C-alpha cells in the first residue's frame, strides 16, 4: 500500500460522519445498557424508527422522557458534547503540537491540561486518577515523568472501548500509511489500555488510513488486520463481524456470542463495527443505522462507523448534518462550541504536514 495525498472532501465527510453517528447513538446509549438489545429494538420499533435511517424520535413514554435532552429528532441545534468527540478533537490538538513525534507522555499532559476528569469514564478515569496521584509540576510543564506511565494502564477496564474511540483521526491524517496510523493510535492508547484495548484502537486507526488507498472495503480491512497480531482476540472479533456481513440476525448472533463481556468492551463493539460497515456497503445511512441498532455502546459505534463510512463515501447526506448546523459542542478546557469547517480544515493541514 502506498501513501496517498490527503483528501479534503473525505476528511470533512469523516468529521461529519463521526459527529452524526455519535448523535444518532447518543440518545439510546443508556437505554441499550439498561434494557439490552431487545429493549433497544422495542423502543425503536414503537417509535417507527426501524430500520434506523434518521435521528431517534422521542416517545411520550417513560423511556422516551428519560432520553438525554437535545439529542433526538427535531431537538438538535448543535452536536451536544460527548466523550467520543472530545477525544477526536484532542487527537487533532496533539498532532498539531507534536506531529509524528507524539508520545504517551504528551497524551497524559494534554489530559491534565485540557480534559476535565468528570468527562472521563472507566479506563480513562482510572488512568487519570493515577496521573493525579503521581504527576508533579515539572511533568505537567514538559519534563520526563518521575514515574512509570505504564502504571496508568494497570486498571480493570484496560481492554474496554475507551482507546478505540480515540483512534479515528490518526488514520484520517495518514492515508495509505496504516503503520503510521497504528503507531500513533497505540501511543495514545497506552496511557490507559493494554492488550486487546490497544489492538482495537490500532485496528480502527489502520482501517481509516487504509480506506483512501484501497480499491475496496475488503482490501482496506485486510490491510488494517495486518497491523494486528493474527491470533489476537481483536482480529478474531473483526473476522467474526465480517463473516456475518449481510445477515439480518447478526446483532442477535453477536450478543449471544459475546454475552459474557461488558457492553463497553472492545471486542463485542469491534465486531459490530466490522459487521455494520461490511453490510452497508456504500450506504452511509445504513452503516450508522446498523451500528446503533445493534446495541451495546451505541454512540461510540455510531461515531466510529460514521467516521469510516464518511471517509469512504466522501460525502454525508444533509439530512444528517443539517440539524446540528456545523456546531460541535465539546467539554474541553477553554472550548465549548467548535465549527465543523474549522476542524476539518485543521485536520487537512495536519495530514499535509505529515506527508
Amino acid at each position: 500500500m502506498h501513501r496517498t495525498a490527503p483528501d479534503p472532501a473525505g476528511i470533512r465527510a469523516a468529521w461529519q460522519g463521526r459527529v452524526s453517528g455519535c448523535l444518532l447513538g447518543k440518545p439510546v446509549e443508556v437505554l441499550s445498557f439498561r434494557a439490552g438489545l431487545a429493549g433497544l429494538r422495542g423502543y425503536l420499533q414503537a417509535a417507527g424508527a426501524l430500520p434506523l435511517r434518521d435521528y431517534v424520535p422521542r416517545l411520550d413514554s417513560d423511556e422516551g422522557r428519560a432520553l438525554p435532552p437535545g439529542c433526538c429528532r427535531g431537538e438538535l441545534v448543535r452536536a451536544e458534547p460527548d466523550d467520543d468527540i472530545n477525544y477526536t478533537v484532542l487527537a487533532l490538538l496533539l498532532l498539531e503540537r507534536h506531529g509524528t513525534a507524539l508520545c504517551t507522555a504528551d497524551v497524559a499532559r494534554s489530559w491534565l491540561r485540557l480534559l476535565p476528569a468528570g468527562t472521563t469514564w472507566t479506563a480513562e478515569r482510572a488512568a487519570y486518577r493515577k496521573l493525579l496521584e503521581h504527576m508533579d509540576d515539572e511533568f505537567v510543564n514538559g519534563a520526563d515523568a518521575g514515574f512509570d506511565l505504564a502504571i496508568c494502564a494497570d486498571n480493570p477496564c484496560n481492554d474496554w472501548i475507551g482507546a478505540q474511540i480515540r483512534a479515528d483521526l490518526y488514520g484520517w491524517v495518514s492515508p495509505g500509511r496504516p503503520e503510521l496510523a497504528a503507531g500513533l493510535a497505540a501511543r495514545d492508547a497506552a496511557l490507559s489500555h493494554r492488550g486487546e484495548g490497544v489492538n482495537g484502537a490500532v485496528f480502527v486507526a489502520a482501517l481509516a488510513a487504509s480506506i483512501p488507498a484501497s480499491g475496496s472495503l475488503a482490501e482496506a480491512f485486510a490491510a488494517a488486520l495486518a497491523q494486528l497480531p493474527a491470533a489476537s482476540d481483536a482480529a478474531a472479533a473483526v473476522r467474526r463481524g465480517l463473516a456475518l456481513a449481510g445477515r439480518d440476525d447478526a446483532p442477535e448472533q453477536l450478543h449471544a456470542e459475546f454475552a459474557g463481556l461488558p457492553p463497553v468492551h472492545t471486542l463485542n463493539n469491534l465486531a459490530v463495527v466490522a459487521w455494520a460497515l461490511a453490510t452497508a456497503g456504500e450506504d452511509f445511512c445504513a452503516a450508522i443505522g446498523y451500528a446503533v441498532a445493534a446495541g451495546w455502546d451505541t454512540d461510540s459505534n455510531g461515531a466510529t462507523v460514521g467516521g469510516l463510512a464518511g471517509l469512504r463515501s466522501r460525502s454525508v447526506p444533509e439530512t444528517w448534518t443539517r440539524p446540528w448546523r456545523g456546531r460541535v459542542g465539546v467539554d474541553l478546557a477553554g472550548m465549548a462550541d467548535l465549527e465543523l469547517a474549522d476542524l476539518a480544515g485543521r485536520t487537512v493541514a495536519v495530514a499535509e504536514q505529515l506527508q
Side-chain angles (χ1 to χ4, degrees):
M1 180 171 289
H2 300 287
R3 72 174 68 182
T4 62
D7 175 17
I11 288 174
R12 178 182 177 86
W15 269 110
Q16 291 175 324
R18 183 162 179 80
V19 172
S20 298
C22 181
L23 285 172
L24 178 61
K26 189 175 178 67
V28 294
E29 178 186 22
V30 174
L31 173 62
S32 174
F33 295 163
R34 186 182 69 249
L37 181 61
L40 170 63
R41 289 287 181 85
Y43 180 89
L44 294 175
Q45 187 70 51
L50 286 178
L52 189 59
R53 299 293 185 270
D54 197 354
Y55 290 115
V56 174
R58 184 185 300 278
L59 290 177
D60 186 16
S61 65
D62 289 343
E63 286 182 332
R65 287 186 287 273
L67 302 185
C71 299
C72 290
R73 188 187 304 175
E75 300 175 0
L76 292 164
V77 295
R78 68 166 184 165
E80 292 299 313
D82 191 276
D83 59 341
D84 292 271
I85 306 304
N86 285 342
Y87 289 119
T88 311
V89 175
L90 273 177
L92 173 60
L93 294 169
L94 283 164
L95 291 177
E96 285 179 329
R97 182 166 184 174
H98 303 286
T100 57
L102 175 70
C103 66
T104 304
D106 297 323
V107 179
R109 280 188 280 265
S110 77
W111 285 19
L112 291 167
R113 291 178 179 135
L114 297 172
L115 184 65
T119 65
T120 61
W121 311 97
T122 65
E124 285 74 20
R125 183 169 291 182
Y128 208 131
R129 184 179 298 114
K130 290 191 177 181
L131 276 176
L132 292 174
E133 290 173 355
H134 294 280
M135 64 89 178
D136 55 24
D137 291 343
E138 287 74 17
F139 173 69
V140 175
N141 290 322
D144 291 340
F147 61 98
D148 185 359
L149 275 171
I151 65 172
C152 296
D154 183 14
N155 67 75
C157 306
N158 61 17
D159 56 359
W160 290 14
I161 199 174
Q164 188 166 295
I165 73 174
R166 308 194 319 246
D168 300 48
L169 188 135
Y170 296 120
W172 300 352
V173 299
S174 310
R177 304 169 75 187
E179 300 89 350
L180 173 61
L184 291 168
R187 286 173 238 163
D188 185 316
L191 180 59
S192 52
H193 286 69
R194 293 178 181 169
E196 302 302 342
V198 174
N199 285 339
V202 163
F203 177 79
V204 167
L207 183 57
S210 300
I211 284 173
S214 298
S216 67
L217 187 59
E219 182 183 340
F221 268 107
L225 279 168
Q227 299 303 313
L228 295 180
S232 66
D233 290 340
V238 172
R239 291 193 293 266
R240 184 57 181 145
L242 294 177
L244 291 171
R247 287 184 53 170
D248 292 338
D249 66 343
E252 288 79 8
Q253 290 284 332
L254 293 174
H255 277 258
E257 293 173 19
F258 291 101
L261 293 182
V264 290
H265 199 278
T266 291
L267 299 177
N268 45 5
N269 288 288
L270 189 59
V272 165
V273 166
W275 167 76
L277 284 167
T279 299
E282 301 286 342
D283 189 338
F284 173 86
C285 303
I288 60 174
Y290 288 145
V292 170
W296 284 321
D297 200 341
T298 55
D299 63 332
S300 295
N301 291 340
T304 298
V305 169
L308 293 167
L311 186 69
R312 186 174 182 227
S313 66
R314 302 181 66 248
S315 66
V316 171
E318 287 189 8
T319 52
W320 295 105
T321 60
R322 188 184 305 113
W324 47 275
R325 308 172 188 178
R327 297 174 58 200
V328 181
V330 294
D331 289 317
L332 298 172
M335 303 174 217
D337 273 14
L338 304 178
E339 293 294 327
L340 187 284
D342 179 62
L343 291 170
R346 289 163 59 188
T347 306
V348 171
V350 166
E352 291 171 343
Q353 292 166 6
L354 297 189
Q355 287 288 294

